[in-house]
Amino acid sequence: MAGEKDAVRARRLAALARTGLSASADAGMDRFARLVANVLDVPVALVALAEDGRQVFPGMAGEDLPWSVSRQAALADSLCALVVDSGAPLVVSDARTDPRTLSGPVVTHLHAAGYAGMPLTDPHGTVLGALCAVDTRPRRWNEREVQALEDLAAACTAELRLRIVSRQAEEARAETAALLARSELVLRASEVLADTAGVEEVRTQVGELITSDLKPVYVGFSLDPAPRPGRARGLARAHAQAPQVDPEDGAWPTARAVRDKRLVEVHGVEEVRAAYGRHAAARWESLGFASMVCLPLAGTHRTLGALALAWDTEHRPDVAERAVLYAVSGYAAQALERAQFLDGRIDVARRLQEAMLTDLPAVDGLATAALYRPAAAQDMVGGDWYDAYPLDRAPCPDGETATLAVTIGDITGHDMRAATLMGQARSMLRQADHDHPDGGPATAVQALESANTALGLDLSGTLVHAHLAPAADGWTLTWTNAGHPAPLLAGPGTSCEHLDDHDLLLHPSLHGRPRTQRRLHLPVGATLLLYTDGLVERPGQDIDTGIQRACALLHEGAGRPLEELLETIADRVAGDAPGDDIALLALRVTHPPHPPHPDPA
């Protein structure tokens, strides 16, 4: 019985909340009270609604009423409570003598005698209150008066029901809009995450998707960076504030979500302390979270980690939100699995690329230095490379003997294939130099092009290939340029010079075109800079501007160590987030090379 009463009370309070009425004057309800007072010729008329522990009067007519300001009174033992409890009209001639109505605020404060009250109900028949006519004198209500009050109560009930239905319609529209928005979120997640290429991109997209709808203050991944069969290792931090937790240790909700493979919720520091211990509670308080929801990221063969959301105020996801979060975590797991595979391939390509960048040989009379910086985008692998290697003292056509070959190059593309072709081009160019000891750099590049065509490698790109030969007072530089940015030369006492002459780039369709080479004397103190276009190309900036800045820095740094000079040029010209890979190779003539020892034979 008590349970049924509690259910009725809950329905009444919910319906009253939807009417929007409480202890404040309402024009519509005041109008009904005035109608009752005029039609029945009574000094007081009330629209009384039964809230929790009190009755409120949004409609009131009568002069000098004690509740005209507060518009409320206690509900217990009131005449309104009798109508609400019985669900039937209450009509009494003298409330002061009727055993049902001896006390109550209407009788006590208004000195009520005659009273008639009709129930006001919601669309389901739940009694919300009463429309009351109060006379200060005993009154025998005739049938016409009772019928009139009943008709007015029916009209007032219709008004209350209209307000309830209107509010329900608004709530339904809002709920439909929210469901539509969440359906669109799931659809966007399926579309956006299908196109992600790396873990960081997945992390960013998931954060943007969820934050726009559910408004958490934190969205992050805890991922296993190095899985082993049968066991997940420590979760890597997905955010500066996301702690690293081993899945086999239940010290944080993300770990429990991974271990139990289910959604985990926690609300408030006391729940954290009870479930995860005092250290977790201290961490929770330092982060400023009030609620956290964690979901496992279920991959094809293993759980990849957990998706975590946190709010700085208490937030308990409803059924619709849980469904959205499960859907997003599923799409995120698929995207992460694909991204980790791609990141692994990209890592292999980067290792291959870096393996091609060997140590520079020591050469008497020359100082050398090189610098390689990958692009800021971690998923971009390029075909940039530099190389320097000794030659077998092959005599040049002019009688000089070249002792060093240097190359700077950039194979077209930003993927694993570009890195692979770069390695092949580097090896073939080295082979060409040693297979043609009597040729110059142009001969070696033509041999590379012939091999490219014969083997069907279809590589394309740009490069500068050069041979250096010792001279009496310095070195002789012989080079060929296949469409590459011009090398820069800063000589002692002179401004920086662009070595602009170049031929067409490397491309299978251009095979057979003649290659030219040029010669230049490098005196003691001269510094030569070879570089790839990632150094000087920036969005919104003309490439010539970057070249001029690099040239000026090269000239200013004539007396600085080469390693330090290259770092400065890369920092100031390309910045700390280059959009493309950067390869730099610098040579400085320190002194004329020593002549070789004569052959004792």
Side-chain angles (χ1 to χ4, degrees):
M1 189 67 177
E4 184 178 347
K5 287 185 177 180
D6 289 340
V8 171
R9 172 177 162 275
R11 289 197 299 272
R12 182 179 74 249
L13 295 178
L16 286 174
R18 289 194 173 97
T19 66
L21 299 173
S22 189
S24 299
D26 179 84
M29 296 299 106
D30 277 344
R31 187 177 301 113
F32 278 109
R34 288 195 301 270
L35 283 170
V36 170
N38 292 333
V39 171
L40 300 185
D41 190 23
V42 291
V44 176
L46 302 169
V47 176
L49 301 177
E51 290 188 352
D52 195 10
R54 68 173 185 169
Q55 58 179 330
V56 296
F57 310 117
M60 180 181 291
E63 297 180 358
D64 301 325
L65 296 178
W67 309 306
S68 59
V69 176
S70 66
R71 287 188 177 245
Q72 61 179 303
L75 181 63
D77 301 323
S78 69
L79 302 183
C80 176
L82 293 176
V83 176
V84 170
D85 290 341
S86 67
L90 177 64
V91 179
V92 294
S93 297
D94 191 346
R96 295 169 299 180
T97 59
D98 192 297
R100 299 170 296 173
T101 60
L102 290 175
S103 62
V106 173
V107 176
T108 303
H109 297 290
L110 296 182
H111 307 290
Y115 174 87
M118 296 293 170
L120 303 172
T121 61
D122 73 356
H124 303 289
T126 302
V127 180
L128 307 180
L131 180 63
C132 312
V134 182
D135 201 330
T136 55
R137 296 173 299 175
R139 180 164 180 166
R140 187 175 297 279
W141 305 93
N142 60 44
E143 186 177 349
R144 182 189 65 80
E145 290 172 332
V146 173
Q147 185 63 52
L149 183 60
E150 187 175 336
D151 291 342
L152 290 172
C156 187
T157 290
E159 172 68 17
L160 292 175
R161 291 180 177 183
L162 179 61
R163 295 190 184 201
I164 292 171
V165 171
S166 297
R167 181 62 63 87
Q168 286 176 326
E170 291 177 7
E171 292 173 354
R173 282 194 295 270
E175 184 177 351
T176 300
L179 290 174
L180 179 60
R182 287 166 186 169
S183 298
E184 291 175 348
L185 170 61
V186 173
L187 179 60
R188 291 201 311 274
S190 67
E191 294 173 345
V192 171
L193 295 178
D195 295 331
T196 50
V199 172
E200 289 305 318
E201 187 178 355
V202 175
R203 191 192 313 277
T204 300
Q205 293 290 354
V206 169
E208 291 177 354
L209 285 166
I210 294 179
T211 302
S212 65
D213 186 70
L214 302 182
K215 312 299 182 187
V217 296
Y218 168 78
V219 178
F221 290 144
S222 291
L223 300 178
D224 183 353
R228 294 186 303 192
R231 181 182 184 273
R233 295 182 61 187
L235 296 181
R237 278 195 274 187
H239 185 275
Q241 293 181 324
Q244 184 168 344
V245 181
D246 192 306
E248 294 186 359
D249 175 16
W252 198 249
T254 50
R256 182 163 294 181
V258 172
R259 187 182 65 242
D260 296 350
K261 296 180 175 58
R262 64 176 179 85
L263 183 146
V264 172
E265 286 187 56
V266 63
H267 305 282
V269 66
E270 294 305 322
E271 283 191 26
V272 176
R273 183 177 289 108
Y276 303 100
R278 59 185 181 86
H279 294 298
R283 182 186 299 129
W284 177 274
E285 289 184 314
S286 71
L287 295 173
F289 294 162
S291 292
M292 176 179 275
V293 176
C294 303
L295 298 95
L297 295 164
T300 305
H301 303 293
R302 65 183 181 90
T303 301
L304 307 176
L307 169 63
L309 297 85
W311 293 263
D312 55 6
T313 57
E314 184 172 305
H315 183 88
R316 297 179 183 267
D318 56 25
V319 174
E321 287 183 2
R322 285 168 172 257
V324 168
L325 291 176
Y326 270 115
V328 171
S329 67
Y331 287 126
Q334 294 175 15
L336 284 169
E337 202 163 39
R338 183 177 62 254
Q340 288 179 338
F341 173 73
L342 293 175
D343 284 351
R345 294 190 63 189
I346 291 168
D347 183 60
V348 170
R350 283 210 176 278
R351 291 176 183 273
L352 172 64
Q353 189 175 18
E354 292 169 2
M356 298 295 105
L357 308 176
T358 52
D359 293 337
L360 302 177
V363 180
D364 181 40
L366 287 177
T368 59
L371 175 68
Y372 173 77
R373 284 188 181 177
Q378 295 300 311
D379 59 345
M380 191 164 71
V381 179
D384 294 30
W385 91 97
Y386 64 80
D387 198 9
Y389 48 89
L391 298 173
D392 294 333
R393 294 188 177 274
C396 296
D398 56 12
E400 293 179 333
T401 302
T403 60
L404 183 69
V406 295
T407 310
I408 195 84
D410 184 1
I411 297 301
T412 304
H414 292 97
D415 52 22
M416 191 169 182
R417 181 175 183 274
T420 304
L421 289 176
M422 176 270 288
Q424 292 176 295
R426 172 183 177 275
S427 298
M428 289 191 296
L429 194 56
R430 283 187 167 212
Q431 185 69 42
D433 264 331
H434 288 281
D435 283 350
H436 302 277
D438 56 345
T443 301
V445 173
Q446 287 174 320
L448 165 63
E449 290 181 292
S450 296
N452 181 38
T453 301
L455 299 175
L457 299 179
D458 199 31
L459 69 82
S460 63
T462 66
L463 63 80
V464 172
H465 185 53
H467 290 176
L468 287 103
D473 56 348
W475 289 76
T476 298
L477 173 72
T478 305
W479 81 97
T480 186
N481 187 332
H484 199 78
L488 304 179
L489 177 64
T494 64
S495 61
C496 182
E497 179 182 357
H498 300 191
L499 306 183
D500 287 322
D501 294 333
H502 63 81
D503 300 327
L504 296 173
L505 54 77
L506 297 174
H507 195 277
S509 65
L510 302 175
H511 172 55
R513 303 287 181 91
R515 292 281 171 192
T516 59
Q517 59 188 35
R518 293 153 185 86
R519 296 178 70 246
L520 185 67
H521 178 69
L522 304 181
V524 174
T527 303
L528 178 70
L529 176 66
L530 307 175
Y531 57 94
T532 57
D533 58 5
L535 175 70
V536 294
E537 283 190 339
R538 299 182 66 182
Q541 174 182 286
D542 183 68
I543 188 172
D544 291 336
T545 302
I547 293 175
Q548 291 297 337
R549 293 182 65 191
C551 206
L553 291 169
L554 183 68
H555 177 69
E556 294 168 5
R560 299 173 63 185
L562 286 182
E563 292 82 359
E564 179 182 320
L565 177 59
L566 293 186
E567 292 283 354
T568 299
I569 292 174
D571 289 342
R572 296 188 182 179
V573 179
D576 57 1
D580 196 356
D581 290 357
I582 299 172
L584 304 178
L585 178 61
L587 303 94
R588 179 178 291 156
V589 179
T590 57
H591 58 269
H594 298 296
H597 295 292
D599 187 343

